[in-house]
Amino acid sequence: MNDKPFTYESWQARVVFGPGRVESVAAETKLLGAKKVYLVADPNAPGVDEVRRSLGARLAGHWGEIAQHVPIELVDRVWAAVEESGTDCIVCLGGGSATGLAKAIVKNYPVPLVAVPTTYAGSEMTTVYGLTDGDRKVTSRDPRVRPTTVVYDPELTTGLPLAVTGPSAFNSLAHCVGALAAPNANPVTSALALEAVRRIHDSLPAVMAEPANIPGRSGLQFGAFLAGTALASTGTGLHHRICHALGGMLNLPHADTHSVVLPHVVALNAAALPEEMARLAEALGVPGGDPAARLWDLAAANGVATDLAALGVRQEHLHAVTERVDVQPNPWAVRPEDIEAMLTRALVGERPTHSTEHDRVSQHG
Ligand code: NAD
């Protein structure tokens, strides 16, 4: 029994989960009283036709242009179309980019948002939204952007390319690590995060071996849901700040940066978080082991990127990226040069281990 005092803040949403549940999207908008529904949908994601058909005459408009990292100029154009349609509800269907675009709209156009996620980004559960102006991505929180209803249908993810599936699962794992390490972590968010790690860890190899494996896809999506829920109540840390600096500056695929950077940040911070890292190792199936090395091995074994060079990053980018990373808050007094050195190791795909990072950090106190 936990005896430490804690504060847990939850963000309510109605969650509809299970294979075939995309069929209930139109009914969910009706429950919200919607008469004119605007659909923001990623053209690569399945389910668009079903949603359009089931909305019938209540479909007020359909936006199909999605861009990574939510550029402000795109938000302005969607905003104009949504406003002109006079919609009273938005449905977003797609990965974190589609969800992020819809979140940016409902922040200032306050109608209920129904999210139908088709990746494992987890954005649908959070009050976090990002906007990119030029090469600079700014992430903020606002309760108005949180979807009212989330419909998870694992069948929509069976065609998610494996090159997206693996990194996206690591995006979810990064949320778990962030939630575990957050200063406001509590027994509820840690339980959610650790169960999410178990689900993702157990499901990823099955899906990579057989992409249409529904129990595996359900496990990844359930993990993403729990991870997003934990993240929503805690927040992100150094790892996400590094990924956002990399992604925003070099226009990298968001999820891929997670798979490469996560094991290195876990190694960098492990000595400062012994209890949390022991629980993480257990959830990753290596009780008493090294969670950083285990994460790297999980990526490598499943064909997920382990080096930044493969994403197009070059050594000469790293200093400028590091300059954009706020090093604090962090569980210990990490310095910009530690981050740059860590990114140099991530660049070439070095396998990080807790002990090597600990030794490096100890050398400068
Ligand atoms: P994404 O939405 O850009 O999708 C990746 C690729 O997969 C795209 O080409 C897309 O067209 C395709 N795709 C998506 N679903 C598909 C499906 N079911 N079948 C086939 N193709 C499909 O990538 P993402 O990783 O989901 O989201 C990244 C964005 O989300 C970033 O901007 C990131 O910052 C944001 N994000 C936000 C939060 C938050 O809490 N606000 C959390 C995680 C990610």
Side-chain angles (χ1 to χ4, degrees):
M1 186 67 191
N2 180 68
D3 58 358
K4 287 189 195 148
F6 67 89
T7 302
Y8 167 62
E9 192 173 0
S10 70
W11 298 96
Q12 299 294 332
R14 178 177 160 89
V15 175
V16 175
F17 192 104
R21 296 308 294 269
V22 69
E23 284 169 15
S24 54
V25 171
E28 290 299 325
T29 63
K30 259 195 185 144
L31 272 182
L32 296 167
K35 294 190 171 56
K36 291 173 125 191
V37 181
Y38 199 96
L39 176 62
V40 175
D42 186 322
N44 295 328
V48 178
D49 293 343
E50 285 98 315
V51 172
R52 281 186 63 110
R53 221 177 7 254
S54 59
L55 285 170
R58 288 191 303 130
L59 182 70
H62 175 183
W63 187 273
E65 180 190 344
I66 307 293
Q68 255 214 122
H69 303 306
V70 194
I72 282 177
E73 66 78 26
L74 178 61
V75 175
D76 290 343
R77 285 190 286 125
V78 187
W79 165 281
V82 165
E83 203 166 37
E84 200 188 328
S85 75
T87 184
D88 56 5
C89 179
I90 295 179
V91 171
C92 63
L93 188 148
S97 298
T99 311
L101 182 57
K103 281 170 131 179
I105 300 299
V106 296
K107 177 176 168 281
N108 294 312
Y109 188 92
V111 295
L113 175 61
V114 175
V116 188
T118 63
T119 67
Y120 310 116
S123 170
E124 64 283 353
M125 297 313 297
T126 78
T127 59
V128 180
Y129 69 101
L131 288 173
T132 303
D133 193 358
D135 68 355
R136 191 171 286 270
K137 184 164 182 175
V138 178
T139 304
S140 319
R141 277 179 179 259
D142 192 314
R144 289 174 294 182
V145 307
R146 173 75 140 74
T148 313
T149 304
V150 181
V151 178
Y152 287 104
D153 185 341
E155 284 178 357
L156 295 183
T157 63
T158 54
L160 186 65
L162 293 184
V164 181
T165 297
S168 191
F170 267 81
N171 189 174
S172 248
L173 287 171
H175 294 160
C176 300
V177 172
L180 282 172
N184 58 350
N186 60 70
V188 183
T189 53
S190 296
L192 289 167
L194 290 166
E195 180 59 13
V197 170
R198 282 184 211 102
R199 296 283 184 142
I200 296 163
H201 175 263
D202 293 351
S203 306
L204 185 61
V207 168
M208 296 312 265
E210 186 197 343
N213 180 315
I214 291 292
R217 288 289 185 180
S218 294
L220 288 184
Q221 211 169 32
F222 187 62
F225 160 38
L226 298 186
T229 307
L231 172 77
S233 296
T234 53
T236 55
L238 181 66
H239 167 80
H240 267 78
R241 297 199 295 275
I242 293 173
C243 288
H244 282 295
L246 274 165
M249 204 169 152
L250 305 173
N251 196 26
L252 303 181
H254 176 77
D256 296 63
T257 55
H258 284 286
S259 69
V260 180
V261 173
L262 184 64
H264 291 272
V265 175
V266 166
L268 191 70
N269 279 344
L273 299 162
E275 205 178 303
E276 292 81 358
M277 291 306 107
R279 297 174 79 193
L280 176 63
E282 202 174 347
L284 286 167
V286 287
D290 182 338
R294 176 67 198 132
L295 284 165
W296 192 94
D297 292 345
L298 185 69
N302 287 288
V304 181
T306 51
D307 64 292
L308 289 175
L311 309 184
V313 182
R314 295 193 305 274
Q315 180 71 48
E316 55 266 35
H317 293 136
L318 297 184
H319 187 68
V321 168
T322 304
E323 282 189 326
R324 288 217 182 158
V325 178
D326 291 328
V327 291
Q328 291 304 325
N330 191 54
W332 65 280
V334 66
R335 305 165 308 174
E337 50 267 44
D338 302 319
I339 309 272
E340 192 169 340
M342 184 200 76
L343 287 175
T344 302
R345 295 190 288 281
L347 183 75
V348 295
E350 197 179 294
R351 181 177 183 263
T353 65
H354 170 182
S355 50
T356 51
E357 281 295 343
H358 186 254
D359 292 348
R360 282 189 183 105
V361 170
S362 308
Q363 278 166 22
H364 63 70

